[in-house]
Amino acid sequence: MTETRPLEGIRVLDLSHVLAGPYMTLFLAQNGAEVIKIENPAGGDMARRLVARSTDGRDIDHVAAYLNRGKKGLALNLRSDEGKAIFRDLVAKSDIVVENFTPATLKRLGFGYEELKAINPAIIYTSLSGFGHDDIYPSPMMHRPAFNLIAQAMGGIMDITGEADGPPIPTGVALGDLVAGIFALSGTLLALQHRARTGVGQHVDISMYDCLASFSQRAVLRTYLTGEVPTRGRDSRENPLGSFKVKDGYVVMTLMGAPMWQRFCAMIDRQDLLDHPDLNPDAARGARFDTVLRPMLEEWAEDKTRDEVVALFSAADLPAAPVQDAADLLACEQLRARRMIEDVDDPVRGPMVYTGNPIKLSNMREKVPSPAPALGQDTASVLEGLLGLSPDRIAALRQSGTL
Amino acid sequence: MTETRPLEGIRVLDLSHVLAGPYMTLFLAQNGAEVIKIENPAGGDMARRLVARSTDGRDIDHVAAYLNRGKKGLALNLRSDEGKAIFRDLVAKSDIVVENFTPATLKRLGFGYEELKAINPAIIYTSLSGFGHDDIYPSPMMHRPAFNLIAQAMGGIMDITGEADGPPIPTGVALGDLVAGIFALSGTLLALQHRARTGVGQHVDISMYDCLASFSQRAVLRTYLTGEVPTRGRDSRENPLGSFKVKDGYVVMTLMGAPMWQRFCAMIDRQDLLDHPDLNPDAARGARFDTVLRPMLEEWAEDKTRDEVVALFSAADLPAAPVQDAADLLACEQLRARRMIEDVDDPVRGPMVYTGNPIKLSNMREKVPSPAPALGQDTASVLEGLLGLSPDRIAALRQSGTL
């Protein structure tokens, strides 16, 4: 075990806001990078205004709190001349810039990749957007509106999520942002790898639509080859696979192959079904999951709890698991053992619970990160430390609204 | 533009199968690594048996075809003494090992991380599994069955996906595998970064459950703070946001704030609703999305196509997008412009369509990768080239079933 985290010594200027960008830079911070979150002095990241009312009546900026742990806070007005000059000086002393504005925004401010590269040829410039920028590849849809729901809808995920006779259903988490965030993390790390060899930086251009289209690979290829478009609720029925209601919730299960079917019939005490022509082989059981298997299972399970049902499946050597909600995750021993759920006493916000870093490295001791910064909390120390600005100069810049 | 791809010179021994591992190593290959896919000589990766019947009547191993592009194929029996000796020699000459067996499997064969580290201290050993291994953190659930549906169910995603009065719905793509694959990619790149500084490798331990729990962060924290568990179909209704049926499919949209509401009422020619007490402010429209807004929109759109509806929204400066299926992705100009959908003429399989690499780097020219290897296709050249085995020796090893 060494004490060095992989990204120690790497400095990140994080211009991103709300979800996709901050989720990505959270992993940079957790792995040792110095992430300086730069926000406009007039209000900062919109995430600061997403509050949850706690049981003891406090409004807590929970989204900013979990996304920005371990980062420094710098307030800087990028529209003022003095602010622009300070940002340019910071770029000269940094390794990575991350942004998720709509594609034209930073170029308009004079901070497109080409401009920053002229200041610092080693800079890595990571963009997250709905449809991508147009400097590496053309992007005809570049100026379309883009957010999570649109990425899920256009990327092909939503169309195949839902019941056979129901509407397309969005996934309950912001897949568009979260998936783009992890791809952007990988892309940035690839650019660091490339820079270590060549000394030059590059633009990393991540599009939410591209990322979710990559997840639709199998459906796209099957459609091309077979001429048949996969539809909601049917594709997964090649094997019997799905959820059913029990006394206190839902359980998921699957059956694959004759030996599982035999154990299943024994478990529910329905040996009469073993050779039933409508329920053999696998594909027949899959096709009748909704109409035959699920109703049968729900009748069998109506007086049994989720835990009892999972235990019965497990005793029969059949795979099953509870459908868990957020309260289940909070209580889960496995997640706590792996530091995926952690109690943290935030000096400002009080007791909080955060999910951890799913990238578990044997050579890295995970640290409890510092709490998310207040707006501009580290402005003076960053500008003094990195750029040598005097306290008087900083006070004047505060006065003028630059900081 | 340099011609060097970021991972050129990095050699990967890929023991993984079907989805999560091969999806991850696909990105290693696309970014320049030499990925040697190692399969048992008796049949190889199960993905080879997932076929789609093409319109001209051929059975095509489409899953193996798209996941294993750009990789080399080595057939090797890891259970035989001679096979084990060859694998150890390969580990001594490689940078990364990737595996997604159930946690005890490789340890039982003598190839746990500790054993491989003894052969090559710089080796990076990336594991993907349902619940994680137990050498870095405890993993009480390590031996439970795990696959995509179970990860979605336990990770909290499925419980909040679906309609308010319906069952939990699994997302139509294999999120458990795909998300773990990208986190494993980032983890491996972090370990490479760490190795460049310290000279030592490490174990990268990725769990599908951990990864999806990270996606549930907001729900977990809100539950902790507010005592209220987010439920299906309700959480997204704080703003009016959702899909509605049109003549030839579905469209997604959102309305946020009074100016959008004004433009919306003008677009559907219902100025009478502008100050309607049941539909003001945003939260009231959100709460009535299912009962009032959606039926109204569906009536308005029943004689309009998806493209017409999206164009009308766009003309009114309101965000909307089509819910696309796989056929739409195949035809999409944006995805083709960005090389996210590519026609490839596979010398064995004929014309194929693949989705590309969503990590767009300005300094890397993307190459069309070689087709997925036949089982053991590169066995002789890899063993001759890397380990100096003679053709006679290779023939004898083939004879004995080792290769």
Side-chain angles (χ1 to χ4, degrees):
Chain A
M1 175 84 71
T2 62
E3 289 295 328
T4 324
R5 291 183 294 169
L7 300 179
E8 255 160 54
I10 299 287
R11 183 173 299 127
V12 182
L13 303 178
D14 182 5
L15 299 172
S16 71
H17 53 286
V18 194
L19 190 44
Y23 185 64
M24 179 262 190
T25 57
L26 174 61
F27 294 112
L28 295 178
Q30 285 177 327
N31 288 289
E34 177 191 7
V35 178
I36 302 174
K37 182 172 177 66
I38 300 181
E39 298 169 89
N40 69 72
D45 189 341
M46 212 257 277
R48 295 188 177 278
R49 291 177 288 288
L50 299 173
V51 296
R53 172 68 53 97
S54 69
T55 44
D56 58 357
R58 292 170 305 127
D59 281 335
I60 296 181
D61 59 342
H62 62 307
V63 175
Y66 79 76
L67 284 172
N68 297 316
R69 283 173 291 152
K71 303 177 188 174
K72 292 179 176 173
L74 174 70
L76 185 64
N77 179 359
L78 291 176
R79 290 171 199 283
S80 76
D81 288 342
E82 286 177 310
K84 282 181 204 283
I86 289 173
F87 183 67
R88 278 190 291 264
D89 290 346
L90 289 171
V91 168
K93 300 203 164 188
S94 298
D95 301 283
I96 298 168
V97 170
V98 179
E99 64 94 14
N100 64 344
F101 293 106
T102 51
T105 311
L106 279 184
K107 219 173 261 176
R108 222 156 37 218
L109 290 173
F111 299 134
Y113 171 57
E114 290 302 322
E115 286 85 3
L116 298 198
K117 180 177 147 184
I119 299 167
N120 179 356
I123 201 82
I124 292 164
Y125 185 104
T126 301
S127 302
L128 299 98
S129 62
F131 298 99
H133 288 231
D134 64 353
D135 53 328
I136 306 177
Y137 291 99
S139 178
M141 295 183 176
M142 185 164 71
H143 298 294
R144 286 207 194 186
F147 50 90
N148 165 53
L149 184 66
I150 284 184
Q152 287 196 34
M154 291 190 67
I157 312 283
M158 206 173 144
D159 184 69
I160 51 174
T161 301
E163 295 185 283
D165 53 356
I169 299 282
T171 296
V173 297
L175 277 192
D177 295 276
L178 299 170
V179 172
I182 335 172
F183 270 118
L185 175 64
S186 287
T188 304
L189 294 169
L190 284 166
L192 274 176
Q193 188 77 16
H194 185 264
R195 192 183 75 165
R197 294 176 175 201
T198 61
V200 296
Q202 60 190 313
H203 186 195
V204 181
D205 177 23
I206 303 294
S207 134
M208 285 160 62
Y209 182 31
D210 288 357
C211 292
L212 293 190
S214 170
F215 277 14
S216 293
Q217 164 73 77
R218 188 176 181 184
V220 168
L221 181 54
R222 279 183 75 143
T223 300
Y224 177 74
L225 291 173
T226 68
E228 286 164 30
V229 183
T231 53
R232 273 189 293 294
R234 277 185 216 141
D235 204 41
S236 65
R237 295 293 140 74
E238 294 178 1
N239 290 297
L241 189 86
S243 71
F244 60 97
K245 202 169 167 42
V246 303
K247 193 176 161 190
D248 61 347
Y250 288 85
V251 167
V252 294
M253 54 84 75
T254 189
L255 292 172
M256 281 188 275
M260 277 198 187
W261 178 239
Q262 287 155 15
R263 297 200 295 274
F264 177 79
C265 292
M267 179 185 73
I268 61 168
D269 204 15
R270 289 293 304 268
Q271 259 91 347
D272 58 302
L273 299 175
L274 214 52
D275 301 308
H276 197 291
D278 286 356
L279 292 173
N280 281 288
D282 269 14
R285 294 191 281 275
R288 289 173 183 80
F289 187 86
D290 289 341
T291 52
V292 180
L293 273 186
R294 177 183 282 137
M296 190 193 301
L297 270 165
E298 294 190 342
E299 204 193 312
W300 171 76
E302 71 184 347
D303 61 346
K304 300 177 181 70
T305 66
R306 220 172 48 168
D307 291 348
E308 287 165 356
V309 166
V310 172
L312 286 167
F313 270 76
S314 177
D317 197 17
L318 293 168
V323 176
Q324 298 198 124
D325 65 18
D328 295 315
L329 298 188
L330 264 173
C332 178
E333 288 304 319
Q334 168 81 13
L335 293 177
R336 289 189 180 264
R338 287 178 67 80
R339 294 188 65 169
M340 286 306 301
I341 297 276
E342 283 195 291
D343 292 293
V344 173
D345 203 10
D346 185 303
V348 177
R349 297 172 186 87
M352 301 283 278
V353 162
Y354 295 120
T355 60
N357 179 359
I359 299 171
K360 301 300 182 194
L361 300 174
S362 61
N363 264 334
M364 189 174 91
R365 238 179 267 283
E366 293 187 41
K367 295 182 184 171
V368 175
S370 55
L375 178 56
Q377 160 192 301
D378 306 293
T379 300
S381 66
V382 168
L383 296 185
E384 245 188 273
L386 278 182
L387 305 184
L389 266 59
S390 69
D392 282 357
R393 177 93 179 103
I394 289 170
L397 288 165
R398 279 221 166 96
Q399 199 67 32
S400 70
T402 302
L403 303 180
Chain B
M1 175 84 70
T2 61
E3 290 294 329
T4 324
R5 293 184 292 170
L7 300 180
E8 255 160 53
I10 298 286
R11 184 172 299 128
V12 182
L13 303 179
D14 181 5
L15 299 172
S16 72
H17 54 287
V18 194
L19 190 45
Y23 185 65
M24 179 263 190
T25 57
L26 174 61
F27 294 111
L28 295 178
Q30 284 177 328
N31 287 289
E34 177 192 7
V35 177
I36 302 173
K37 182 173 176 63
I38 300 181
E39 297 169 270
N40 70 70
D45 189 341
M46 213 257 278
R48 295 188 177 278
R49 292 176 288 287
L50 298 172
V51 295
R53 173 69 52 97
S54 69
T55 45
D56 59 358
R58 291 169 308 127
D59 281 334
I60 297 181
D61 59 342
H62 63 306
V63 175
Y66 79 77
L67 284 173
N68 297 316
R69 284 174 291 150
K71 304 178 187 173
K72 292 181 177 173
L74 174 70
L76 185 64
N77 180 359
L78 291 177
R79 290 171 198 283
S80 75
D81 288 342
E82 285 176 311
K84 282 181 204 282
I86 288 172
F87 183 66
R88 278 191 290 263
D89 290 346
L90 289 171
V91 168
K93 299 202 163 189
S94 298
D95 302 284
I96 298 169
V97 170
V98 179
E99 64 93 16
N100 64 344
F101 294 105
T102 50
T105 311
L106 279 184
K107 220 172 262 177
R108 224 160 32 220
L109 290 173
F111 299 134
Y113 171 57
E114 290 301 321
E115 286 85 4
L116 299 198
K117 180 177 150 185
I119 298 168
N120 179 355
I123 202 81
I124 292 164
Y125 184 104
T126 301
S127 303
L128 299 98
S129 62
F131 298 98
H133 289 230
D134 64 352
D135 53 328
I136 306 177
Y137 290 99
S139 179
M141 296 183 176
M142 185 165 72
H143 298 294
R144 285 208 195 186
F147 51 91
N148 165 52
L149 184 67
I150 284 182
Q152 286 196 34
M154 291 190 66
I157 312 284
M158 205 172 146
D159 185 68
I160 51 173
T161 301
E163 295 185 284
D165 52 357
I169 299 281
T171 296
V173 297
L175 278 192
D177 295 277
L178 299 170
V179 172
I182 335 172
F183 270 118
L185 175 64
S186 286
T188 304
L189 295 168
L190 284 166
L192 273 175
Q193 188 77 17
H194 186 264
R195 192 184 73 165
R197 295 176 174 202
T198 61
V200 296
Q202 60 191 311
H203 186 194
V204 181
D205 176 24
I206 303 293
S207 133
M208 286 160 61
Y209 182 33
D210 288 357
C211 292
L212 294 190
S214 170
F215 278 14
S216 294
Q217 164 74 74
R218 189 176 180 184
V220 167
L221 181 53
R222 279 182 75 143
T223 300
Y224 177 75
L225 291 173
T226 68
E228 286 165 32
V229 183
T231 53
R232 273 190 294 293
R234 278 186 214 139
D235 204 41
S236 64
R237 294 294 142 71
E238 295 178 359
N239 291 296
L241 188 87
S243 71
F244 59 97
K245 201 169 167 44
V246 304
K247 194 176 161 190
D248 61 345
Y250 287 85
V251 168
V252 294
M253 55 83 76
T254 189
L255 292 173
M256 280 188 275
M260 277 198 188
W261 177 238
Q262 288 155 15
R263 299 200 294 274
F264 177 80
C265 291
M267 179 185 74
I268 62 167
D269 204 17
R270 288 293 305 268
Q271 259 90 348
D272 60 300
L273 299 175
L274 213 50
D275 301 308
H276 197 290
D278 286 356
L279 292 172
N280 281 289
D282 268 14
R285 293 191 281 276
R288 289 174 183 79
F289 187 86
D290 289 340
T291 52
V292 181
L293 273 187
R294 177 183 281 138
M296 189 193 302
L297 270 164
E298 294 191 343
E299 203 190 313
W300 172 76
E302 70 184 348
D303 60 346
K304 299 176 183 70
T305 66
R306 220 171 47 168
D307 291 348
E308 287 164 356
V309 167
V310 172
L312 286 167
F313 270 77
S314 178
D317 196 18
L318 293 168
V323 176
Q324 300 197 121
D325 65 18
D328 295 315
L329 297 188
L330 265 172
C332 177
E333 288 304 319
Q334 169 81 12
L335 293 178
R336 289 190 179 264
R338 286 178 68 80
R339 293 189 64 171
M340 286 307 301
I341 296 278
E342 282 196 290
D343 292 292
V344 173
D345 203 9
D346 185 302
V348 177
R349 298 173 186 86
M352 301 284 277
V353 163
Y354 295 120
T355 61
N357 179 0
I359 299 171
K360 302 299 183 194
L361 299 175
S362 61
N363 264 334
M364 188 175 92
R365 241 179 265 284
E366 292 187 41
K367 296 183 185 170
V368 175
S370 55
L375 178 57
Q377 163 191 300
D378 306 293
T379 300
S381 67
V382 168
L383 296 186
E384 243 187 274
L386 278 183
L387 305 185
L389 265 60
S390 70
D392 283 357
R393 177 91 179 106
I394 289 170
L397 287 165
R398 278 221 167 94
Q399 200 65 34
S400 71
T402 303
L403 303 179

